[in-house]
Amino acid sequence: MFKHSQLESVKAWLANPAHAAFPLHSRIQRAIRQLILDGALGVGKPLPASRALAKSLGVSRDTVEAAYGQLHGEGYIERRVGSGSFVSHMAQRVPGRHLSQRRKPSQAPPPNLSRRGSAMLEGGGVRDFLTPRPFAPGVPETRGFPLQIWERLERQVLKEYANKALLHGHPQGMEPLRRAIADYVNLERGAHATAERVLILTSSQQAMTLCAHVLLDAGDRIFVEDPLYHGARKAFDAAGLACLPIPVDAHGMRVEVLRSASTPAKAVFVTPSHQFPTGTTLPLDRRLSLIEWARQHPAWIIEDDYDSEFHYAGKPTACVQGLDSHERTIYIGTFTKSLFPGLRIAYAVLPAQLVQPMTVARTLLDGHSATIPQLTLARFIEGGHFGAHVRTMRSIYAHRLATLERLVRQHLGAYVEPSVPTGGMQMPCLLTSGLSEQAAINAARRAGIELMGLTGLHASSDCRAGFLMGFAAYTPTELEAAVKQLACAFQTLED
C-alpha cells in the first residue's frame, strides 16, 4: 500500500490543472512513474492493488488497470499473477532515477565544448529582445509600422500561391524578393547587383558566419575595424579566425594602416556607411584604396551596410560593392533595422563566383528562409511601401537624434560629451568626468536602462571610455524620461 505522502503525491498530479489535458489513467501512470524515478518507490516494492488504489483515488478500477498496464508495458513495474504489481528491477537502470539527489547545475562539471563552441559561449550571453530597455542600440521603432498594408500584401500572396507558399523555398531565396532587392540596392546604394547574385538569409549575423566559414579557414587572418561591431567579432572568433585590428579615426577605418601592414590577411570587414560604434562614414578615397588593396592581394571585402537607410546629413556615399569592378566585395544588408526585427530577413550581394558555394553552405545552416514573408516583402518593396516607410522613419529618427543630443547636454553634460553621428540608430557618448564606464553601466542597469560600453568594442587599450545610446525606438517623451532617470542614477554614485 502507498504511504500517505505517496498517495497525496498521486492525488496532486490528478488535481494539477497543468495535467488536465491528459486522460485520467495517463495522469495516474505519470504520477506513479515519477515516484519511481524520484526513488520514492524502491525496486521490488509492491504497488497497491488496483481495486484499493481506485477506491483511494475515487476512480474506476479499469482506470487504474489501464495505468498499471502502461507502466508494465514501459518496463517500470512487473505484474505477477496472484501476487500483484511491483517496481521492476529494470527501473534501477533508468537514467532519471533519484532525480532529487542528482547534482545541481552549479555542481555539474563544465561542458566538454569544442574550441568553436567555447568561443561562441565566451562571445556573449542571451539578451532579452522581447522587452528592450532604453537605450538599447540597434532597435527600430515598430509602433508606426504599416501593418494593414503588410497584412493586405500577405493575403495577396496566400491567395496567389495557395499551398505552394507552404512548401520549402529555394535555398538562395525567392526570385521576386531577390529581384526587388537587386533593383533597390542598385538605385539607392549604387550597387551592381542582379537577382542571380542575391542570397537571402535570416540575419546579417548569418551572413558574416557564412563568410567566415566559406572564405577563410581556422587560423586565417582577417583585418577588422578597431573598435569593432560585437556581432562580427563573435562570428569571426567562433570560426577560429585571427582578427587583426585596424584603427578608426574621424573618417572611418585608416586604410593606409591596412595597406602598410606587414602581416597579410585574406579578408577585411568594414562598416563604411556608419562605422559601428563611432558612426563615422568612410570617404570615397579610402573606399577606392580599400578596393585596390583587395585586388592586389587578392582578398575579400566584407561590407556590412546594416543601417545605411538612415543617413541624416547629406547624401549617403555609394556602397563599396558598387565601386568594386574586380568583384572582391560581399555586400551585406538587413531588414531587421529598416523594418522590424521579427521579419528575420537579410541578404548578401555576392560576386558571381561565390553564389554557388555560399548557397550550398547556407543549406547546411538552415535550408531556406520562410517563403511567405519573403514574397510579402517583395511586394512591399515593389509597391513603394518600403521606400515610403524608410523616408518616414528617417525623418522621425533624425528628430529623435537631435532630441537625445539636447537632453544629454542638458542633463548629463557633467558626465559625458555626445559624439553626434551623421546617421544610424545610436549615439556614442564619451565620459568626461571621473565616472568609470563600468560604474556608469551598472548604475544604468539598476535603473532599468541598458547602455553598451565602448571600451569592450576596442582591441587596443588606447580608447576613450563611454557608451552607446540607442534612440530610434523611443519617442521624445520616452527619451526625456530615460535621460532624467539616468542622470539620477549617476548622481547617486556621487552621494
Side-chain angles (χ1 to χ4, degrees), residues 183-194:
D183 291 343
Y184 171 75
V185 296
N186 289 343
L187 178 65
E188 296 292 338
R189 301 297 298 120
H192 288 301
T194 62

Side-chain angles (χ1 to χ4, degrees), residues 151-415:
E151 290 170 350
R152 174 170 56 82
L153 296 176
E154 188 173 70
R155 287 195 299 271
Q156 291 177 6
V157 166
L158 291 172
K159 183 177 181 180
E160 179 177 339
Y161 286 83
N163 290 349
K164 292 182 181 179
L166 308 180
L167 302 175
H168 282 84
H170 193 283
Q172 189 178 344
M174 301 302 290
E175 196 275 337
L177 179 57
R178 291 189 283 114
R179 184 179 63 247
I181 289 174
D183 291 343
Y184 171 75
V185 296
N186 289 343
L187 178 65
E188 296 292 338
R189 301 297 298 120
H192 288 301
T194 62
E196 293 73 26
R197 292 170 56 182
V198 174
L199 174 63
I200 305 300
L201 301 163
T202 57
S203 65
S204 57
Q205 191 73 25
Q206 186 184 52
M208 287 181 280
T209 298
L210 269 177
C211 290
H213 287 276
V214 175
L215 304 180
L216 300 100
D217 292 310
D220 283 347
R221 299 177 176 89
I222 180 172
F223 287 129
V224 298
E225 298 166 323
D226 185 22
L228 173 64
Y229 169 55
H230 52 287
R233 182 176 295 281
K234 292 177 185 178
F236 301 150
D237 285 348
L241 308 185
C243 295
L244 306 179
I246 302 297
V248 169
D249 61 17
H251 302 288
M253 175 182 277
R254 294 180 57 191
V255 178
E256 77 278 5
V257 176
L258 176 148
R259 298 200 62 177
S260 63
S262 57
T263 306
K266 289 188 175 181
V268 58
F269 174 81
V270 287
T271 52
S273 292
H274 304 130
Q275 198 278 331
F276 190 95
T278 64
T280 58
T281 299
L282 196 68
L284 180 60
D285 59 334
R286 294 192 184 186
R287 297 182 184 222
L288 295 175
S289 181
L290 189 64
I291 292 169
E292 179 60 20
W293 168 84
R295 183 195 67 81
Q296 290 175 352
H297 282 274
W300 299 107
I301 300 171
I302 304 173
E303 178 183 11
D304 185 8
D305 214 19
Y306 61 99
D307 66 358
S308 62
E309 288 86 4
F310 305 120
H311 198 83
Y312 312 127
K315 292 283 187 180
T317 307
C319 64
V320 174
Q321 191 271 352
L323 302 170
D324 179 11
S325 60
H326 312 294
E327 294 202 16
R328 305 300 306 175
T329 303
I330 297 96
Y331 177 86
I332 299 171
T334 178
F335 294 97
T336 296
K337 305 289 191 298
S338 55
L339 292 179
F340 53 92
L343 183 57
R344 305 305 298 152
I345 293 181
Y347 59 92
V349 179
L350 303 170
Q353 68 268 35
L354 291 183
V355 172
Q356 183 177 4
M358 293 285 270
T359 302
V360 171
R362 187 270 159 88
T363 64
L364 300 178
L365 292 181
D366 62 354
H368 68 104
S369 296
T371 300
I372 297 173
Q374 285 190 69
L375 295 172
T376 305
L377 176 58
R379 296 184 179 217
F380 194 77
I381 298 173
E382 292 168 349
H385 308 296
F386 177 68
H389 179 69
V390 165
R391 288 191 294 272
T392 298
M393 302 316 294
R394 185 185 296 138
S395 176
I396 291 174
Y397 292 171
H399 176 63
R400 292 181 180 182
L401 172 59
T403 300
L404 180 60
E405 178 193 3
R406 175 180 58 79
L407 290 169
V408 167
R409 294 189 186 279
Q410 180 180 353
H411 300 285
L412 299 174
Y415 306 98

